[in-house]
Amino acid sequence: MKKRIIVGITGASGPIYGIRLMEVFSRIPSIETHLVLSDSAGITMSLESPGWTPARLKALAHHSHSPADLAAPISSGSFKTHGMVVIPCSMKTLGNIAHSTGGDLLCRAADVALKERRRLILVPRETPLHLIHLRNMAAVTEAGAIIAPPAPAFYHQPKTIQDLIDHTIGKVLDLLEIEHDLFQRWGSSRKSRVAK
Ligand SMILES: Cc1cc2nc3c(=O)[nH]c(=O)nc-3n(C[C@H](O)[C@H](O)[C@H](O)COP(=O)(O)O)c2cc1C
């Protein structure tokens, strides 16, 4: 059985992170993706990644769901998944997940991941952070989610923006226990090219 992974992409800056994750997943045959793209993500995509459209991105997914479709399979805990990634995660969606509002499919699916004790990885994009942002991050962490900010490392000597993006995507794949070779690990001298 394939690993089902839900990918939520919200209207925080950096839709390229979600795009890159979907590109990488689309090349791993053992993964089945369920994509939820918020309406605001369509706006940031047109502003920040003009070569991409929601339609082009959805073509990379096995299943794409409208955020309004609260009857989609991923709305129920009985639909088994390996986990969910929200990348990038806006402060609005972070707040909705922290307060369990379940107002759209993306937040409902995240709520389901938490209640079923499945892996939920949030990649928040905002800076600086005020106390409510930090409290929301603490709340979701207490409920079992993992906050994984797109904070670039430099030990692998990145040369391009793509190297920086791939470092963040590689960290997300590590958290999902999916093999990859998107960046050179500290202490290793060789790339083995699993998913690139
Ligand atoms: C160009 C642009 C960049 C934005 N960047 C951020 C950001 O980095 N973080 C954030 O929380 N919101 C950001 N926003 C605001 C969100 O898009 C807005 O709060 C939206 O309502 C989020 O909705 P969603 O979580 O349903 O996608 C940005 C908006 C635009 C237009």
Side-chain angles (χ1 to χ4, degrees), residues 106-188:
L106 199 159
C107 295
R108 169 62 188 166
D111 205 53
V112 167
L114 291 177
K115 85 183 174 75
E116 300 293 337
R117 311 302 197 263
R118 294 176 189 150
R119 190 138 297 190
L120 174 63
I121 299 160
L122 307 182
V123 182
R125 214 311 312 174
E126 190 51 273
T127 193
L129 300 166
H130 60 59
L131 187 58
I132 300 169
H133 296 149
L134 294 167
R135 286 202 170 124
N136 285 340
M137 289 185 197
V140 296
T141 302
E142 283 166 349
I146 297 173
I147 295 286
F154 293 90
Y155 53 79
H156 60 304
Q157 299 182 4
K159 304 283 185 300
T160 64
I161 291 175
Q162 190 67 49
D163 291 340
L164 298 176
I165 293 166
D166 278 357
H167 180 266
T168 289
I169 302 307
K171 296 295 283 185
V172 169
L173 294 184
D174 280 354
L175 292 167
L176 290 167
E177 295 174 44
I178 294 169
E179 289 298 315
H180 70 87
D181 195 13
L182 292 171
F183 58 83
Q184 189 166 342
R185 293 177 189 281
W186 182 247
S188 82

Side-chain angles (χ1 to χ4, degrees), residues 10-13 38 40 43-44 47-48 90-93 125-126:
T10 74
S13 187
S38 78
S40 302
I43 297 171
T44 51
L47 293 169
E48 298 184 3
S90 72
M91 294 303 102
K92 175 194 139 190
T93 291
R125 214 311 312 174
E126 190 51 273

Side-chain angles (χ1 to χ4, degrees), residues 18-97:
I19 292 167
R20 180 63 174 147
L21 183 64
M22 288 301 298
E23 272 185 337
V24 170
F25 278 159
S26 72
R27 292 175 198 154
I28 305 177
S30 57
I31 289 180
E32 174 185 310
T33 48
H34 287 254
L35 175 67
V36 188
L37 197 64
S38 78
D39 294 341
S40 302
I43 297 171
T44 51
M45 200 181 297
S46 68
L47 293 169
E48 298 184 3
S49 298
W52 284 88
T53 60
R56 184 178 167 204
L57 182 59
K58 286 174 188 174
L60 291 178
H62 294 92
H63 304 274
S64 171
H65 309 285
S66 158
D69 183 9
L70 285 159
I74 57 172
S75 199
S76 169
S78 64
F79 186 78
K80 288 209 156 180
T81 66
H82 181 68
M84 176 168 181
V85 185
V86 185
I87 176 168
C89 182
S90 72
M91 294 303 102
K92 175 194 139 190
T93 291
L94 168 71
N96 284 346
I97 296 170

